[in-house]
Amino acid sequence: MTDFFRLFSIHSLVAMSMAAQVSSLVNRYDQFTTGSNTHETVLNSTNVNAAEFGKLFSYYVDGSVYAQPLYVSALNMPGHGVHNVLYVATMNDKVYAFDADRSGPPLWMRDFTDEMAGVTPVPITDITNDNDLNLVGNVGIESTPVIERFPGDSGAGAIYLVARTKEHGSYVQRVHKLGLTDGKNLAPPVVVEASVKGSAADAVDGMVRFDPRAGNQRPPLVLVNGTLVISWASHEDLRPYHGWIITYDAASLRQTGVFCVTPDTADGGIWQSGRGPAVDTSGGIYFETGNGGWDGKRNFGESVLKLKTGAGGLKVEDFYTPHNYDSLNERDADLGSTGPLLIPGTHLLICGNKEGAVFILDCDKLGGSTATDSGAVQTLALNGGRIMAGPAFWDGSSGPVLFLWSETDFPKAFRWTGHSLESAPFAKGTVASHGSPGGVLSVSSDGKKAGSGVLWATVSYGRSADHGNAPGVLHAFDAETLKELWNSEKRPERDRLGTLVKFVPPLVIGGKVFVPSYDNYVQVYGLLTSGGAGH
């Protein structure tokens, strides 16, 4: 397994005592999408309170931030020295590298637009004719990039991303590979183009082609054994569309594989509420697909897929499809609303859906499709509305726990027995979500140390964010009891988050909590006595 999937510690490179820290190189910290950083030694359930903890400063960026920021510790930046670096991508097609420990201008910024030359981000109204639906404003870099650290002592590496632009009336999506230290190209950018044989209604001459205008690149990117994996859904289910997975050689950006979820039917988008695929230790890649046609051979709407990369491109190794996939399609009850989570140290996969249920699958035998859904190891109905951004997993002081906060429910914690979830939560919070997207979760802790675990969540404030924008609030809970410790509305004049960006989990690392807002800011929270407020 390649090193750039893992949280890892890097010893301080400078005499100013930059402590050994971890990096967050991929969405939700790791290849399993656990949403858990177990190397947080500063913040805990005692010091996260309104007196000691709050907003330190904000980074201004051009554009809303729909991608989770990423973090590289102790990076040697030529001309700037050694820094912990925060990488932020915006819907106005800009990427920033900031010093993660203090406010100020970026260390570097890269702009993929050129208004004078007719290159701009894509206005969402060009696609949906509406600016008050799931996306508001422009569509530029929407998904979370992924970072690769190169071996050796140089500290160098690359950040991979997909930028979308409108160029003289045409729509273009490009894959970029940029240097971590300066934002310059490490390989020529590649325009996303793909086609497969198919008999779908929109096929032309027997070929279904990727549509750069309609393809919504929301799921985060991942790297698997030297291969960059990217996936797409649709905007607002506007037909015709298909789900796509396309792979590229990470070194050269040469396209290596193309998979269309529904080449002979329709739909099958991969959106996963902004969650990335899970990747197992043997390189198996797991996706959940949404509404779409299914035949179990070439078309895999409403399914959990296991794919592998190889010399022949992408191959479906296994799948799970519920027996009532037709009914799910009719009711727009996507199976693929949460994205998968792999329980570390096991072969078990946790998924969720818009019906408000979680189900556990065996990665070694996903189960196909049966009349009784016997392929599922466990199904647990939460009855709390749709599960959108999905769970977080923490192997904590009293054993492994799965956290969930559904759309119209309270945050809940379920014990993991080693092969299933206990049917009743052992802890339940008192803060209710009143609509989409529910709680978007992260966990921080100092390993299994008692009192160190904090469950962090962003949630809409005052109304649902299902369509259009809504205010957001950041919450912190004791991960052992779900007692609320703090929220950003306790002292709003100091700590208010601003307009929520759906599906973006808090990034908790190095004693700070980084939370994007729609308002062209990334808010930074931490201990108020830490001296991080702009020195």
Side-chain angles (χ1 to χ4, degrees):
M1 181 54 56
T2 46
D3 288 342
F4 45 80
F5 283 124
R6 300 186 179 96
L7 288 168
F8 57 95
S9 296
I10 300 177
H11 290 293
S12 175
L13 300 177
V14 291
M16 58 187 235
S17 72
M18 183 179 290
Q21 296 177 4
V22 295
S23 296
S24 181
L25 310 182
V26 66
N27 177 256
R28 288 173 168 83
Y29 299 108
D30 56 51
Q31 69 201 58
F32 307 124
T33 78
T34 63
S36 181
N37 174 13
T38 57
H39 300 272
E40 177 51 55
T41 60
V42 177
L43 302 175
N44 55 56
S45 61
T46 299
N47 60 24
V48 177
N49 58 67
E52 298 178 77
F53 180 87
K55 188 189 296 185
L56 301 177
F57 55 88
S58 304
Y59 299 114
Y60 172 79
V61 294
D62 179 13
S64 54
V65 181
Y66 281 67
Q68 178 189 306
L70 299 175
Y71 184 105
V72 175
S73 64
L75 181 65
N76 185 10
M77 306 280 286
H80 296 284
V82 176
H83 294 266
N84 297 320
V85 183
L86 189 78
Y87 294 89
V88 180
T90 81
M91 291 288 252
N92 281 351
D93 282 316
K94 296 181 174 64
V95 183
Y96 298 81
F98 289 103
D99 184 319
D101 296 314
R102 55 185 55 80
S103 61
L107 299 168
W108 59 257
M109 187 272 286
R110 182 73 186 272
D111 185 356
F112 298 107
T113 67
D114 185 345
E115 188 173 0
M116 296 299 292
V119 180
T120 68
V122 180
I124 189 60
T125 51
D126 280 17
I127 305 170
T128 64
N129 296 315
D130 198 319
N131 195 38
D132 199 33
L133 299 173
N134 280 293
L135 297 181
V136 178
N138 290 328
V139 186
I141 305 168
E142 182 180 353
S143 71
T144 301
V146 66
I147 289 174
E148 176 185 10
R149 293 301 301 274
F150 299 154
D153 297 327
S154 66
I159 181 168
Y160 301 81
L161 58 93
V162 176
R164 298 176 63 177
T165 50
K166 183 177 181 180
E167 304 181 8
H168 307 289
S170 297
Y171 301 92
V172 181
Q173 299 194 27
R174 284 188 181 87
V175 183
H176 295 266
K177 178 182 181 179
L178 310 180
L180 289 181
T181 60
D182 56 14
K184 295 180 180 179
N185 291 343
L186 295 180
V190 174
V191 173
V192 178
E193 297 176 312
S195 61
V196 296
K197 292 181 179 179
S199 57
D202 58 318
V204 177
D205 296 328
M207 301 297 292
V208 177
R209 290 175 171 79
F210 174 80
D211 184 347
R213 174 178 172 274
N216 187 13
Q217 209 284 290
R218 191 155 212 162
L221 282 58
V222 294
L223 286 159
V224 183
N225 298 327
T227 296
L228 180 66
V229 183
I230 311 174
S231 52
W232 285 263
S234 72
H235 291 277
E236 306 297 335
D237 288 327
L238 293 173
R239 293 184 174 93
Y241 77 88
H242 302 271
W244 293 86
I245 304 169
I246 305 176
T247 59
Y248 296 85
D249 175 73
S252 65
L253 298 188
R254 175 182 57 86
Q255 189 179 101
T256 57
V258 176
F259 176 76
C260 179
V261 176
T262 53
D264 306 313
T265 59
D267 309 347
I270 300 170
W271 66 290
Q272 302 185 157
S273 295
R275 195 184 195 99
V279 181
D280 68 26
T281 54
S282 66
I285 311 164
Y286 300 84
F287 286 97
E288 294 182 39
T289 68
N291 304 134
W294 179 87
D295 60 18
K297 298 177 182 178
R298 283 170 46 87
N299 301 279
F300 292 96
E302 300 285 11
S303 299
V304 177
L305 301 179
K306 178 180 181 178
L307 297 99
K308 280 284 188 76
T309 63
L314 279 167
K315 177 185 176 183
V316 175
E317 287 212 330
D318 203 356
F319 70 92
Y320 170 82
T321 307
H323 76 281
N324 62 336
Y325 67 88
D326 272 337
S327 173
L328 296 177
N329 280 334
E330 291 172 2
R331 294 180 284 115
D332 190 31
D334 296 37
L335 175 143
S337 64
T338 71
L341 184 155
L342 269 165
I343 301 296
T346 77
H347 293 272
L348 297 173
L349 190 74
I350 293 182
C351 304
N353 61 26
K354 283 186 179 179
E355 291 190 308
V358 294
F359 50 99
I360 299 172
L361 302 175
D362 185 340
C363 296
D364 294 331
K365 189 178 180 181
L366 291 181
S369 183
T370 67
T372 59
D373 295 337
S374 58
V377 175
Q378 180 187 19
T379 301
L380 181 62
L382 299 186
N383 302 314
R386 298 179 296 179
I387 304 174
M388 305 290 273
F393 180 84
W394 177 49
D395 190 0
S397 55
S398 58
V401 175
L402 190 83
F403 300 97
L404 280 158
W405 194 352
S406 301
E407 184 180 39
T408 56
D409 204 356
F410 300 90
K412 294 177 179 177
F414 296 83
R415 295 196 189 279
W416 175 253
T417 68
H419 55 78
S420 63
L421 294 170
E422 292 184 351
S423 58
F426 79 88
K428 177 180 176 181
T430 60
V431 180
S433 170
H434 297 291
S436 177
V440 186
L441 308 176
S442 296
V443 185
S444 65
S445 75
D446 184 3
K448 293 175 177 278
K449 184 177 180 181
S452 71
V454 179
L455 176 68
W456 305 87
T458 56
V459 68
S460 60
Y461 185 58
R463 72 174 185 85
S464 172
D466 195 38
H467 278 165
N469 285 335
V473 59
L474 173 65
H475 291 271
F477 303 92
D478 186 322
E480 297 174 27
T481 65
L482 292 190
K483 175 184 176 182
E484 187 178 36
L485 304 171
W486 172 92
N487 72 65
S488 56
E489 287 296 311
K490 285 184 178 291
R491 296 188 59 177
E493 73 285 354
R494 181 190 70 193
D495 297 336
R496 178 159 283 168
L497 173 61
T499 306
L500 180 74
V501 180
K502 289 191 301 185
F503 309 140
V504 183
L507 176 66
V508 188
I509 195 165
K512 294 183 174 62
V513 184
F514 303 91
V515 189
S517 78
Y518 181 83
D519 310 315
N520 294 22
Y521 288 98
V522 175
Q523 314 289 17
V524 184
Y525 299 86
L527 296 181
L528 300 171
T529 58
S530 66
H535 70 284

